Amino acid sequence: MKLVQFKLTALTLSISFGAIANANIDISELTINDLHNAVINKQITFKESMQGYLNIIENNNHRGPHLNSVITVSPTAIAEAEAADKEFKETGKLKPLQGIPVLLKDNINTANLLTTGGSISLRNNIPTQDAFIVKKLKNAGAIVIAKTNLHEFAVWGETRSSMLGQTLNPYDLTRTPGGSSGGTGAGVAANFGLIGIGTDTVNSIRSPASANSVVGLRPTIGLVSRTGIIPYSFTQDTAGPITRTVEDAAKVLNVIVAYDTSDGVTKLAENYHVDYTKALKVDGLKGKRIGVLNSFFGTQEVHKSTNNVVRNAIAQMKSEGATIIEINTPINADALVKDTSVHLYELEDDLNTYLVAHPKQKAIGNLKALIKSGEFDQGIKANIEKAITLSKSSDEYRNRLIARKKLQKDVTKLMTEQKLDALVFPHQKRLVVPIGEIQVDRNGVLSSVTGFPSIVVPAGFSPKTTTAPIGIPIGIEIFGLPLQESKLIEIAYGYEQNYPMRQEHVYK
């Protein structure tokens, strides 16, 4: 691959607003609060900021570094931003996410906007209704700026699809951005939007968070609706925020946690009302008991840089008042994927519920017909061909569900007996892989199989290389018991505020 050096240049807007004439607002790295304050102070409008993000996409998605993160740009984004400006002018009030451009993983339905799951087999699929989560975001004022690439049908972790090809990691253009929500992760890191939404069946929110120096939060199963999201495994699927800060993740979570009568598991959220921003405490680490899950660290030379960064982050947590407890319980992440996770057992039946229910698209009908058509990236071939040989009626599937319940009980017992507020470990034992390789050594399965919440935050970078001018991002995963998102946010925010590890990238 020929490497050419690029530097992301965010649009700097020069605007005349009376006494604030020629104010310069750099939209890169803005938070929700930053943009809202700039609008309130008449330093920028939602329309101007939206145009700025669209310009960044235009200059960096299929040009410049060619990140290949965005599948579809919304043609109504500017008009919606104008409407947000008008509403604010008339009411003087801002909704929680008013005017905020959101990057939406392209397995989430958007009314009148293409939704492909990354597959050319769905290249004509324009839903008539928004997914439940999209309705919640729009009701809070958010604007879908673009739909992002994913590993096709969210089936694995390199973010390669027949619809768009390979998304690149903005910190090292020779590496993947993780996945399956890598288009969202890379896009948020590259300031293609202000916030993002990913989905997560095994690793898929937290993998791109770790690989792109951003924050990714997988909520407790049952807090966030899956209605209108192309399914993979109803037992393990959920959706959650991918953002540049813990504060923005908390604000997005406030909006998307809700009971949806069409998704029975969200009965959990019916009378559950929490303001997650109240957990944003600078001293959030003080007094916390944090267990270090040692079996989730690698032991080979290839794991060294990740181990060094995450062990340093744990030492920093201790310096901010956390009590660190070494946990030597032999939990094996690879074994959980191999022997406990039900994702491939549910893929055929659960994906078919979507393929059958969308007759306006090019007819597919079911997973077997998709395989026969050949209209998919070869990177998912082995997994989908295996999936059609597996069955929910098999003894193996039932045994996995039993093992899942046992794991839930065992982890709850471990954390309760040790009086732990959280477990921590590297999300990946090694750096995110180069393009052409398959993701390995990921630890996100503990959260996905149990259905318990976890959050990944930037912990630092590997040593610099010729293709990674500031190093490759490394994330620390913070795992907790069900409905303990507030506690995880306290820990994550306390760490982030005292040791801010996120850095903007330099393309090379």
Side-chain angles (χ1 to χ4, degrees), residues 35 60 69-70 92 108 130 135 151 157 164 191 268 303 345 365 410 420 422 425 435 450:
L35 181 54
N60 296 278
S69 169
V70 166
I108 303 173
D130 286 325
K135 292 176 183 177
H151 204 91
L164 193 66
N191 289 278
L268 179 69
H303 303 125
Y345 284 79
D410 289 347
L420 299 178
F425 43 85
I435 290 166
T450 59

Side-chain angles (χ1 to χ4, degrees), residues 146-257:
K147 304 292 290 293
T148 56
N149 199 27
L150 62 153
H151 204 91
E152 193 152 341
F153 289 117
V155 166
W156 204 246
E158 294 82 52
T159 308
R160 193 179 107 190
S161 72
S162 62
M163 194 68 194
L164 193 66
Q166 176 69 59
T167 298
L168 307 185
N169 189 311
Y171 292 87
D172 183 342
L173 300 178
T174 70
R175 291 182 182 263
T176 79
S180 63
S181 309
T184 302
V188 169
N191 289 278
F192 284 11
L194 202 151
I195 59 174
I197 296 291
T199 64
D200 192 313
T201 305
V202 184
N203 296 281
S204 297
I205 287 171
R206 294 150 299 144
S207 169
S210 176
N212 294 278
S213 194
V214 292
V215 176
L217 194 157
R218 177 189 164 98
T220 304
I221 288 283
L223 286 185
V224 177
S225 168
R226 290 85 53 87
T227 299
I229 298 175
I230 299 175
Y232 186 166
S233 162
F234 285 130
T235 298
Q236 295 177 194
D237 285 350
T238 191
I242 297 176
T243 59
R244 288 186 292 273
T245 67
V246 175
E247 178 182 348
D248 282 356
K251 289 183 175 182
V252 174
L253 197 61
N254 274 350
V255 167
I256 63 176
V257 168

